Amino acid sequence: MTTYVYFGALESHMERLNEGRSSAKDLKSRLESFHKIMGNWSLKKITREVIRDYATELGYKGNSPATINAKLCALKAALKEAYQMGWIDKVPEVKLEKIREKVKPVISDAEVEQLKEHAGLTTRPMIIFYLKTGCRANELIEAVTTWDCLHGNNLKIMHTKNGCVRIIEMDSECKRALLDLKRQHEAFTFSYKHLYKLWNDLIATMKWQDKGYTLHTLRHTVITRLAKAGIPVQDIQKFIGHKSIDTTMKYVHAEVDHNSIMSVL
């Protein structure tokens, strides 16, 4: 006798299986998406054609290719579990969407000087610190709001995106900028909201709203400058805090004479 297990049962099984994991909420939401759009299918009737129709519907509903792929990956993981449980005879093919890599904007050297020139006393230290460290927003806030991260001229960032401790050797200009930011923090709370307001106000002053520059563009700019100056890619990866060297390689376009990082920044 053939036993049919339906998608709703697989959803419940995956929810129990992933309970307590940080990814549980996202997985649940992505599986619910299939159920809402396609209905409570019998698992054995979910074929690659059904999955292709689902992906098409996601596109019609305005989902980006990256979002579609995230939902398809969640579906594939669930179907693999269904196969392990013996609920289906094989895992149907799940074809991901092709994603065109967006070209990340980079601020030119001339524009960097314009930023420094037009930045006020509050914003200028932030710009200098960003361009000297290539930090992320959360790393800058940690550096500004805590003192135990400062060890002489070394800055020790504990909470990074990839989970690895990041140590930055600062020159005198970089350290001065950080101390200026710390003094600002004593006057008011240095938060994400404050950080992005400083940046957006500066961009508005420069009338650069159409350039697509975000605060994170400063990080891209630092990586690109190091790559163009011929800093070895492994050194850039370590300095900038990329977990994968493949991420760093996106910025490396040419081989130039090797220099030291601080001499470039």
Side-chain angles (χ1 to χ4, degrees):
M1 180 178 176
T2 304
T3 302
Y4 290 97
V5 179
Y6 288 81
F7 192 79
L10 177 58
E11 280 184 277
S12 299
H13 174 75
M14 294 299 290
E15 187 173 357
R16 289 191 300 272
L17 194 65
N18 290 276
E19 188 175 0
R21 296 182 181 178
S22 59
S23 59
K25 186 176 179 181
D26 285 341
L27 179 63
K28 183 181 183 219
S29 171
R30 289 162 184 168
L31 293 179
E32 283 176 350
S33 170
F34 180 87
H35 198 152
K36 288 176 182 177
I37 292 175
M38 304 302 289
N40 192 23
W41 278 70
S42 163
L43 297 182
K44 290 188 175 181
K45 292 185 178 180
I46 298 178
T47 62
R48 66 178 182 179
E49 288 76 23
V50 171
I51 295 170
R52 193 181 303 130
D53 289 345
Y54 171 52
T56 301
E57 283 297 319
L58 287 174
Y60 287 153
K61 289 181 179 296
N63 290 266
S64 69
T67 301
I68 293 173
N69 283 348
K71 292 180 177 180
L72 290 177
C73 285
L75 178 61
K76 185 175 182 179
L79 291 172
K80 282 184 176 179
E81 176 62 20
Y83 175 75
Q84 293 294 328
M85 296 295 294
W87 295 340
I88 56 177
D89 299 324
K90 66 176 183 178
V91 179
E93 179 187 10
V94 178
K95 190 174 182 181
L96 300 181
E97 297 288 304
K98 290 183 179 179
I99 300 178
R100 293 180 62 184
E101 186 77 21
K102 289 184 178 180
V103 178
K104 295 179 173 65
V106 173
I107 303 171
S108 70
D109 290 347
E111 289 175 328
V112 164
E113 293 308 312
Q114 291 175 47
L115 279 176
K116 291 179 182 178
E117 182 182 340
H118 287 82
L121 293 176
T122 305
T123 311
R124 195 169 190 275
M126 179 189 78
I127 299 297
I128 291 172
F129 186 77
Y130 255 107
L131 291 170
K132 286 285 184 178
T133 63
C135 64
R136 300 179 177 93
N138 68 297
E139 295 172 352
L140 184 145
I141 289 174
E142 180 178 340
V144 171
T145 58
T146 62
W147 280 100
D148 55 0
C149 64
L150 193 57
H151 304 271
N153 290 328
N154 287 337
L155 181 64
K156 189 176 183 180
I157 303 294
M158 301 297 295
H159 304 97
T160 62
K161 184 179 179 181
N162 64 19
C164 299
V165 174
R166 186 180 173 204
I167 297 176
I168 303 169
E169 184 179 348
M170 300 181 291
D171 62 12
S172 58
E173 185 182 22
C174 181
K175 188 173 181 179
R176 252 193 329 270
L178 176 58
L179 293 176
D180 283 345
L181 291 171
K182 284 182 175 293
R183 279 190 284 272
Q184 289 182 33
H185 178 59
E186 291 173 359
F188 49 82
T189 303
F190 206 92
S191 63
Y192 283 102
K193 183 178 180 180
H194 172 68
L195 195 60
Y196 287 109
K197 185 179 187 308
L198 288 177
W199 174 255
N200 290 331
D201 286 351
L202 178 58
I203 290 298
T205 300
M206 304 289 292
K207 302 188 186 306
W208 284 0
Q209 293 95 329
D210 61 338
K211 289 181 178 285
Y213 294 159
T214 66
L215 194 57
H216 202 69
T217 303
L218 291 170
R219 178 173 166 85
H220 298 158
T221 300
V222 169
I223 301 168
T224 302
R225 288 171 74 182
L226 293 174
K228 286 184 176 180
I231 300 297
V233 66
Q234 294 86 353
D235 291 350
I236 300 176
Q237 180 196 5
K238 182 179 178 182
F239 173 75
I240 214 68
H242 282 151
K243 189 170 185 177
S244 169
I245 200 167
D246 292 337
T247 306
T248 313
M249 285 298 295
K250 293 177 184 178
Y251 301 88
V252 180
H253 305 294
E255 287 294 330
V256 195
D257 291 339
H258 289 172
N259 298 290
S260 68
I261 288 175
M262 278 301 137
S263 70
V264 175
L265 301 179

